[in-house]
Amino acid sequence: GEKPFTIQLKEVYYDGSFVFAGLEVELDRDYGKLSENRQTVGYDMRINGESQVTHDPDTGKVGLEENLGNGFCDMSSFYWEQVERGRYVLQRAFRVPDSLRDSETLEVSLGFGGMYSSEQGELLNSTSFSLNFTAQKQEVEVQSVDCQGLEMGDVQLIAAYTTPAALCFIAEFPEDCTSPIAGAQFADGLRMGGLGGTYYSVGNGRMRSVGIYAGLSPEEDREIIWTFQDKNISGYGTVFGLDFQSGTARIGSAEDVNPA
């Protein structure tokens, strides 16, 4: 690269659905934080040899608004945060494609392109490289809700499950909903941190939504309120209440969406 640095894979978490990879960069600089351009040539995440992000065939750049329609979600951090002078950490994370869920091992390759100082704009690296590793499945408690095709306002809840690391909602909605937005919060109004998501067509005029949020501890007994709406239409179009302790879900209403 333009500036000498060392990058290391520090730790990997994989629970059958979600992969989190902790990375660290060391360099002789005192930047506030570093940035990674996801649209540059070189950015990639490959699982078992297959790229999970789309690339322009002519430029090689990533199409951020496109996906492969396989349930893969990029949940990676945008910035390398400074730990101390010369040390920066980043988390690459993703939900694995539906076809690879619960695989005992995954062969993962993380591709990197341009890296630069966020504040000074100084280029750190423009040469692409990759880090490759095997992710071994860890046994964790997975809590699921029996959705039973719960439907409200033509939005159908397909699946909902959580590990201690991440919570996933999968739903289907009409393709004429042009500006979909979903959110999750506890029944007491505390909002849940969103980690990423994707939308893709499943045919027959239907779209599928995959949304990822912060995971629940096995002891969490508060009901989760999940909402879905078209941003162009006021009010909450769809509200579901989910109890992960009992594994049940119900149709809710706007009265369930409490202020924080």
Side-chain angles (χ1 to χ4, degrees), residues 25-31 82 84-88:
V25 158
E26 295 182 6
L27 73 159
D28 187 20
R29 290 290 188 278
D30 192 18
Y31 301 128
Q82 187 179 42
E84 60 185 24
R85 187 190 187 282
R87 289 182 59 225
Y88 305 83

Side-chain angles (χ1 to χ4, degrees), residues 4 7 9 13 15 17 45 68-69 75 88-90 92 96 114 142 156 160 183 193 198-199 204 231 241:
I7 181 170
L9 176 69
Y13 169 93
D15 60 17
S17 287
M45 278 186 280
L68 301 179
M75 300 146 48
Y88 305 83
V89 294
L90 174 98
R92 279 283 188 95
V96 303
V142 179
Q156 186 177 34
T198 186
Y199 302 106
N204 297 320
K231 286 190 290 186

Side-chain angles (χ1 to χ4, degrees), residues 153-174:
D154 211 16
V155 176
Q156 186 177 34
L157 190 61
I158 304 298
Y161 66 93
T162 184
T163 75
L167 167 64
C168 181
F169 292 98
I170 302 175
E172 291 186 3
F173 61 96

Side-chain angles (χ1 to χ4, degrees), residues 35-147:
S35 295
E36 179 186 7
N37 188 348
R38 294 194 189 186
Q39 288 186 285
T40 193
V41 176
Y43 185 88
D44 206 352
M45 278 186 280
R46 306 181 72 86
I47 305 176
N48 298 345
E50 298 291 331
S51 176
Q52 302 301 314
V53 297
T54 60
H55 294 86
D56 186 286
D58 297 322
T59 65
K61 292 185 177 181
V62 175
L64 292 180
E65 302 303 320
E66 302 174 11
N67 60 68
L68 301 179
N70 59 4
F72 174 87
C73 294
D74 188 347
M75 300 146 48
S76 303
S77 305
F78 284 99
Y79 298 107
W80 295 82
E81 301 289 349
Q82 187 179 42
V83 178
E84 60 185 24
R85 187 190 187 282
R87 289 182 59 225
Y88 305 83
V89 294
L90 174 98
Q91 187 169 257
R92 279 283 188 95
F94 57 83
R95 179 184 187 263
V96 303
D98 293 329
S99 62
L100 295 178
R101 275 191 63 195
D102 292 324
S103 298
E104 289 302 317
T105 61
L106 299 174
E107 297 301 323
V108 179
S109 178
L110 305 179
F112 298 83
M115 295 169 57
Y116 55 94
S117 162
S118 300
E119 289 87 356
Q120 294 88 344
E122 186 176 1
L123 188 64
L124 174 66
N125 176 72
S126 62
T127 306
S128 60
F129 61 92
S130 63
L131 291 176
N132 309 310
F133 60 91
T134 300
Q136 182 73 40
K137 181 184 174 184
Q138 303 173 38
E139 294 302 323
V140 301
E141 183 174 349
V142 179
Q143 295 172 280
S144 300
V145 166
D146 185 5
C147 301

Side-chain angles (χ1 to χ4, degrees), residues 239-253:
V239 180
F240 294 130
L242 298 95
D243 184 337
F244 282 87
Q245 289 294 329
S246 65
T248 58
R250 65 176 179 85
I251 293 176
S253 68

